[in-house]
Amino acid sequence: MPARRPPRTAPTTGRATRTAGAKPAPGDVDALTDAFLTASRLLVAVSARSISAVDESITVAQFRVLVVLDSRGPAKLTTLAGHLAVNPSTASRMVDRLVAAGLVDRETSPTSRRELVVGLTGQGAAVVRSVTRRRRAEITRIVTRMPVTSRRGLVRALRAFTEAGGEPPVDGGADVPWL
C-alpha cells in the first residue's frame, strides 16, 4: 500500500490578515484544494453507490453524459464532447453505449445532415431522476451530521465553486436562510 502524504500545514510565518478582495495566500489555496479533493472522493463514492443502486451497467462517466444532457438539453455530439471535456471520439463511444442501453437517442441535426444531435430518452431522464434522488438522500444524511456552525457559508462557497467551474445549478434547491 502506498504511503499517505502528510497533511499540508499552514505557513509558520503567522496568520496574515487579508483585506476584502485580496488574493488568498498560496497555503490557503493548497488547503482549499486538499479539502475539495477529499470531499470529491466522498462525492464520487456517493455517486457511484447511487448509480449502481439504479443500474449497475452505467459507469460514472456515462452518467455524467446523462446529467449533461438532462441539465443542458439535446446537443450536437461535438458540443457534448466540449461540455464533457473529452474528444468527440470518446463522447461518440459513450453515446453508442447509452444508445444501446436505450438511455439516449441520436438523430441527424435538423440544420446539418453531417451533424448528430444527442438527447435523453424518457428512460434516461428517469435514471437521472432516480440516481439524483438517491444522491440527495445520502448527501442530506451526511450534511445533517455536520455541526450547524460548519454549514454556515458552505452553500455560498459551493455555489461559487460550481459557478467558477461552469456547472449549472441543480433545480429544486431551496434557498438557505442562514447564508
Side-chain angles (χ1 to χ4, degrees), residues 14 28 50 77 90 101 103 139 160 164-165 178:
D28 292 346
S50 300
L77 191 58
T90 301
L103 301 174
I139 291 169
W178 36 264

Side-chain angles (χ1 to χ4, degrees), residues 40-117:
S40 72
R41 283 197 317 247
L42 173 61
L43 292 170
V44 168
V46 167
S47 294
R49 285 191 297 266
S50 300
I51 293 165
S52 68
V54 173
D55 185 336
E56 289 183 354
S57 68
I58 301 172
T59 67
V60 173
Q62 290 168 341
F63 184 70
R64 179 70 181 145
V65 172
L66 300 178
V67 168
V68 167
L69 293 173
D70 184 62
S71 63
R72 299 179 186 268
K76 293 187 287 186
L77 191 58
T78 55
T79 303
L80 177 61
H83 289 311
L84 297 169
V86 299
N87 292 324
S89 62
T90 301
S92 182
R93 285 190 300 276
M94 286 193 285
V95 166
D96 288 345
R97 291 182 187 106
L98 293 169
V99 166
L103 301 174
V104 300
D105 281 331
R106 182 177 37 208
E107 298 176 359
T108 304
S109 170
T111 58
S112 170
R113 295 185 320 169
R114 300 172 80 192
E115 295 177 323
L116 296 173
V117 174

Side-chain angles (χ1 to χ4, degrees), residues 125-138:
V127 165
V128 171
R129 284 191 306 275
S130 183
V131 171
T132 301
R133 254 191 319 274
R134 288 175 176 276
R135 287 172 60 197
R136 180 180 291 277
E138 190 167 348

